[in-house]
Amino acid sequence: MSATTPASPDASPFERVGGHAVMRAITDRFYDLMDQDPAYAELRAVHATDLSDMRAQLPLFLAGWAGGPRDWFEANPGKCMMSAHGGIAITRATAEQWAEAMNRAIASVELSDRAIGDAMADVLSRMAKGMARD
Ligand code: HEM
């Protein structure tokens, strides 16, 4: 499914937003913002210097999470979002930065179905904020 072909109403959210190309565009924009906008400096500081592994992992996670190919889940059996972040001290400030950068990234990308993109942004924001430990 390309980013320009409308998907059928019973397609998965993954297909409806535009598949892998769109997931990669969203996550590349997300990490560009995190890397370059000083508003996300605190969030950037808790990540590894080299973001290339996260640029590869996050689009695969989002693909499976949104009902598409489950490569990330098959490569990480038993792992969930809480266990993946178990050793990371997530604060309200960094969770809010994550949510805001993801909202901006989703808003900046051309999607086959904007309503699904908006719903994804909303749910991901709630998940991120729910991960704060302080
Ligand atoms: C819905 C929200 C989030 C999603 C979907 C998400 C997704 C992911 C994924 C898929 C990984 C790779 C895990 C692995 O393969 O082991 C990861 C790692 C990581 N996440 Fe998140 N994350 C979220 C929220 C956050 C927040 C709020 C923070 C704030 C500190 C954060 C910080 C990190 C860090 C530091 C890593 C390790 C990667 C590195 O060291 O560069 N994440 N995340």
Side-chain angles (χ1 to χ4, degrees):
M1 181 65 58
S2 84
T4 51
T5 311
S8 69
D10 58 356
S12 67
F14 169 80
E15 287 167 326
R16 289 173 70 180
V17 288
H20 276 307
V22 161
M23 291 304 181
R24 271 195 300 272
I26 290 171
T27 51
D28 274 339
R29 180 73 184 131
F30 173 78
Y31 287 114
D32 287 349
L33 284 167
M34 192 173 104
D35 214 17
Q36 292 159 18
D37 190 326
Y40 312 119
E42 208 181 329
L43 177 65
R44 178 67 188 88
V46 291
H47 283 78
T49 310
D50 182 358
L51 290 175
S52 52
D53 188 49
M54 285 304 300
R55 283 182 187 269
Q57 299 300 324
L58 188 56
L60 292 180
F61 170 83
L62 290 180
W65 175 77
R70 298 186 55 79
D71 306 52
W72 188 90
F73 292 88
E74 280 156 20
N76 295 284
K79 203 178 235 187
C80 68
M81 265 307 92
M82 295 317 280
S83 63
H85 294 82
I88 300 163
I90 299 181
T91 61
R92 265 176 295 175
T94 51
E96 271 166 25
Q97 288 170 27
W98 197 104
E100 186 185 298
M102 182 54 73
N103 270 276
R104 283 177 65 189
I106 290 175
S108 75
V109 168
E110 196 179 321
L111 306 176
S112 316
D113 185 329
R114 173 56 57 191
I116 291 287
D118 289 347
M120 271 178 53
D122 183 47
V123 175
L124 287 167
S125 292
R126 290 163 191 265
M127 279 170 63
K129 289 175 190 173
M131 289 159 76
R133 311 265 176 85
D134 61 348

